[in-house]
Amino acid sequence: MNEQNDHNDQPEPRFRVRARHTDSTVTVYQAYRPEIGRAAARDGHFPSSWKRDRMTWIKPSFLWMMYRCGWGTKENQETVLSVEIDREGFVWALHNACLSHYVPDLHGDKETWQRQLCRAPARVQWDPERDLRLAPLPYRSLQLGLAGEAAARYADEWIVGIEDVTPLAAEIHGLVKAGENERATALLPVERPLPLEDGALEHLCR
């Protein structure tokens, strides 16, 4: 079952990283056209056709990925990947990320934010988390964009394993359409709050 809270009686904070994770890894999701996605799952790394000079967005939330790719039905997003990556690498990306939008109280003047954005190898945006029917929830889901050094580290150093979870997405989607919400929920990846050191998100949560 997909755990949204530490405790059922505690409200979910507006900003918190929730993910499937172990002591050493974090699982994120991406969706690609089959030629890239299937090759990546087969070989455990992205093929040469994967464009490392473009920003790549990774998403710890399975349901937000389903919202983004339409349960794997959108063009060029038909193959959904579960990518297990090094936890230290994920945290490094957070520390070196810049918020994708300008916040005066956080960045000061807009020029300062623009300089930070240009220098940062990663960027963060927070979008409404989604429920089983992909409706927005009142708290946010992390999207982490990787470019330059961060994208290279992701592709070459951080990946522990890649799994094609397109069949899982299709199965859950079918159950949702059939009104079998309890069975669908039972198949969701378990996503728990990711423990982070104090201050790790302060520059990213406004």
Side-chain angles (χ1 to χ4, degrees):
M1 184 174 179
N2 193 20
E3 299 174 358
Q4 298 292 350
N5 299 324
D6 272 320
H7 304 286
N8 291 333
D9 57 347
Q10 295 295 320
E12 182 67 25
R14 181 172 172 81
F15 299 105
R16 179 158 68 175
V17 180
R18 296 169 303 277
R20 182 181 178 185
H21 61 84
T22 70
D23 289 342
S24 60
T25 65
V26 175
T27 296
V28 297
Y29 298 94
Q30 295 191 287
Y32 289 99
R33 65 181 188 271
E35 305 92 273
I36 290 179
R38 290 174 183 169
R42 181 190 66 231
D43 301 332
H45 59 79
F46 290 108
S48 58
S49 56
W50 185 78
K51 298 186 184 302
R52 61 178 59 229
D53 57 338
R54 294 173 55 183
M55 179 165 289
T56 187
W57 288 88
I58 59 177
K59 306 154 184 73
S61 167
F62 178 83
L63 284 175
W64 202 94
M65 184 71 259
M66 295 305 99
Y67 166 73
R68 180 69 180 83
C69 71
W71 298 98
T73 64
K74 291 185 179 180
E75 186 177 4
N76 293 325
Q77 298 187 64
E78 299 92 342
T79 303
V80 184
L81 299 180
S82 168
V83 187
E84 190 176 15
I85 64 173
D86 177 71
R87 183 164 164 170
E88 289 186 3
F90 182 84
V91 172
W92 177 91
L94 291 179
H95 279 295
N96 288 277
C98 179
L99 200 59
S100 63
H101 64 278
Y102 170 61
V103 179
D105 291 343
L106 185 64
H107 301 117
D109 61 89
K110 198 166 189 176
E111 290 71 22
T112 298
W113 165 72
Q114 289 174 332
R115 286 194 297 270
Q116 292 176 359
L117 193 65
C118 288
R119 290 197 304 264
R123 63 183 58 178
V124 159
Q125 64 185 47
W126 299 90
D127 297 291
E129 180 59 284
R130 302 284 158 167
D131 66 13
L132 194 60
R133 293 192 172 274
L134 308 185
L137 293 169
Y139 48 91
R140 297 281 166 159
S141 177
L142 176 83
Q143 322 304 322
L144 183 57
L146 308 175
E149 180 185 1
R153 288 190 180 206
Y154 172 62
D156 300 333
E157 301 174 16
W158 298 347
I159 293 176
V160 175
I162 303 177
E163 181 183 358
D164 183 348
V165 292
T166 311
L168 175 64
E171 183 178 5
I172 295 174
H173 188 206
L175 289 170
V176 172
K177 289 193 295 184
E180 299 279 356
N181 288 357
E182 187 173 340
R183 290 178 62 197
T185 298
L187 294 178
L188 291 173
V190 175
E191 294 168 4
R192 298 173 290 114
L194 180 68
L196 295 167
E197 63 185 40
D198 291 344
L201 294 178
E202 279 187 1
H203 63 303
L204 300 170
C205 291
R206 300 293 171 86

